[in-house]
Amino acid sequence: MKTKFAFWDVDHTLLRGDSMLLFLWYGLRKKPLTAYRIAVVLWRTLCYKFGLITAEQAKAAFFYAVNGFSDSDLEHFFDTQLRTRIYQDAYEELHRLKMEGFRILLVSASPYAYLKFFKKLPEVDFVIGTELMRKNGCYVPLIQGLNCKGEEKVERIRRYLEDKCQTIDFENSCAYSDSLSDLPMFRLVRNRYLVNGQHPELEARQWDNVKTPYLHAGKIYMVLSAFLTATGQLFWKWGWDAISYFALGFLCYGGGAFFMIRSLSLEKLSVAYPLMCLSYFFALGYGYWILHEPITWDRFLAVVLMGIGVCLISYER
């Protein structure tokens, strides 16, 4: 007998924000002395971008805070950080699907260690996520198996279907995601919904952002990050003459990293990160007003064009 399924991605689909970055921020607040790990996160992310390490190795850096966290800690993270960020429209859609007899599966690349608490929602039947290793009964920041992304999501769903002896009702089932990396999962069903985006082969669904408090908070945090980054560079320039300025430069860079993480936990990467280019504006201002460096017309025009581009890229209805 075929079953109606509703497959849901989690980050930026069911949740407002990225759960991995929220977890990184949560870990920093719980264990502030581990702030040095931000450098490891940034380094591994850079190595991944250049193809030097795998996605699994890069991703594991975000979960360092899981060391020493119990299940009760992770449940507290879910209750205070994740549950409160569920889109109201998305939850209403989940409830409607459940009432219509759909079996609802959350399928995400984020760690199952904390995603499993989504089963506390009466609408959710099963959760699939990236598995973290355990040692002596505690989670460690190492991924077990493969990152649950792209084709791996389909493989995990197929294993679930085999275990439950169920078959997907292709015509009546549906899938929701904000990412085109989930096209393999979309192809399992006829009804395919791209959340807060557009694609010619997918039906667009738009969740209401009006209910989000401080709608532009993520963008503001990224602007602060850009400001602190430029200020840190100014202090480092002065550091050649007065070594004490080096410490202030590192302090500014650390603050910029904190604000960047907070911004990325609230906004999409493609919306928030381009705002880091505003550091060029701050640097140009410091150069002119403090260091008395000339601003040529070609440099001024380049920065204006860059600003227009940043605004166009980061603007989202």
Side-chain angles (χ1 to χ4, degrees):
M1 181 177 177
K2 294 184 177 181
T3 303
K4 291 191 301 182
F5 281 95
F7 302 117
W8 283 72
D9 183 32
V10 176
D11 297 338
H12 298 293
T13 302
L14 181 59
L15 283 182
R16 187 182 294 108
D18 187 302
S19 66
M20 290 197 306
L21 290 167
L22 288 169
F23 186 69
L24 180 60
W25 182 253
Y26 180 81
L28 287 172
R29 287 188 296 167
K30 286 286 186 180
K31 303 176 181 179
L33 294 179
T34 63
Y36 70 93
R37 294 285 306 199
I38 293 176
V40 178
V41 172
L42 296 176
W43 172 249
R44 288 202 184 182
T45 301
L46 186 63
C47 289
Y48 169 68
K49 292 296 184 182
F50 282 98
L52 301 177
I53 61 175
T54 65
E56 288 78 11
Q57 291 172 315
K59 198 170 184 179
F62 285 84
F63 309 134
Y64 74 88
V66 80
N67 276 330
F69 275 17
S70 64
D71 273 338
S72 60
D73 294 323
L74 296 174
E75 185 173 9
H76 181 264
F77 168 66
F78 168 78
D79 289 333
T80 60
Q81 302 297 314
L82 300 187
R83 192 168 193 162
T84 58
R85 293 178 180 273
I86 296 175
Y87 281 110
Q88 182 62 33
D89 292 349
Y91 186 76
E92 291 172 0
E93 187 87 347
L94 277 181
H95 185 73
R96 179 185 65 79
L97 292 169
K98 189 65 176 177
M99 292 299 99
E100 293 178 3
F102 283 80
R103 187 162 182 82
I104 296 174
L105 270 65
L106 305 187
V107 190
S108 173
S110 295
Y112 178 77
Y114 57 72
L115 289 183
K116 63 185 178 183
F117 296 106
F118 273 99
K119 288 187 285 186
K120 295 170 69 172
L121 302 180
E123 292 79 10
V124 175
D125 293 295
F126 198 75
V127 177
I128 297 173
T130 297
E131 297 286 350
L132 297 182
M133 291 185 180
R134 280 178 176 263
K135 288 184 180 179
N136 300 322
C138 296
Y139 289 106
V140 294
L142 295 172
I143 291 177
Q144 181 175 318
L146 297 177
N147 185 23
C148 187
K149 186 178 179 67
E151 292 288 352
E152 182 63 16
K153 285 191 176 184
V154 174
E155 180 60 29
R156 301 282 185 93
I157 291 171
R158 284 176 178 162
R159 289 183 210 163
Y160 168 83
L161 295 173
E162 290 175 2
D163 290 342
K164 301 295 182 181
C165 298
Q166 294 177 333
T167 305
I168 298 172
D169 182 349
F170 177 83
E171 295 294 330
N172 296 305
S173 294
C174 55
Y176 296 76
S177 177
D178 74 302
S179 174
L180 296 180
S181 67
D182 281 331
L183 282 173
M185 184 175 74
F186 278 128
R187 296 189 183 106
L188 294 175
V189 299
R190 177 172 291 281
N191 305 295
R192 306 159 183 176
Y193 302 106
L194 185 65
V195 176
N196 295 335
Q198 293 183 341
H199 188 274
E201 299 178 12
L202 306 172
E203 184 176 341
R205 298 303 299 270
Q206 191 77 21
W207 302 145
D208 187 3
N209 273 319
V210 175
K211 298 171 184 175
T212 308
Y214 309 110
L215 179 60
H216 299 293
K219 298 183 181 71
I220 293 172
Y221 284 131
M222 189 59 78
V223 172
L224 287 172
S225 177
F227 170 74
L228 287 172
T229 299
T231 304
Q233 291 168 350
L234 175 66
F235 283 135
W236 281 348
K237 182 175 179 61
W238 285 339
W240 290 112
D241 300 318
I243 196 69
S244 59
Y245 282 118
F246 273 114
L248 290 174
F250 279 110
L251 185 63
C252 286
Y253 254 75
F258 270 103
F259 282 122
M260 180 187 292
I261 292 169
R262 186 56 174 160
S263 171
L264 294 175
S265 71
L266 297 173
E267 285 282 0
K268 291 182 179 179
L269 179 66
S270 59
V271 172
Y273 193 73
L275 290 170
M276 271 301 292
C277 288
L278 293 176
S279 61
Y280 291 111
F281 286 86
F282 296 123
L284 195 67
Y286 284 146
Y288 181 74
W289 281 296
I290 298 178
L291 302 176
H292 307 294
E293 298 173 352
I295 298 179
T296 60
W297 278 108
D298 55 346
R299 185 180 299 176
F300 177 77
L301 181 60
V303 171
V304 170
L305 292 174
M306 186 184 302
I308 294 172
V310 167
C311 291
L312 292 175
I313 292 173
S314 296
Y315 175 75
E316 187 175 55
R317 296 181 185 275

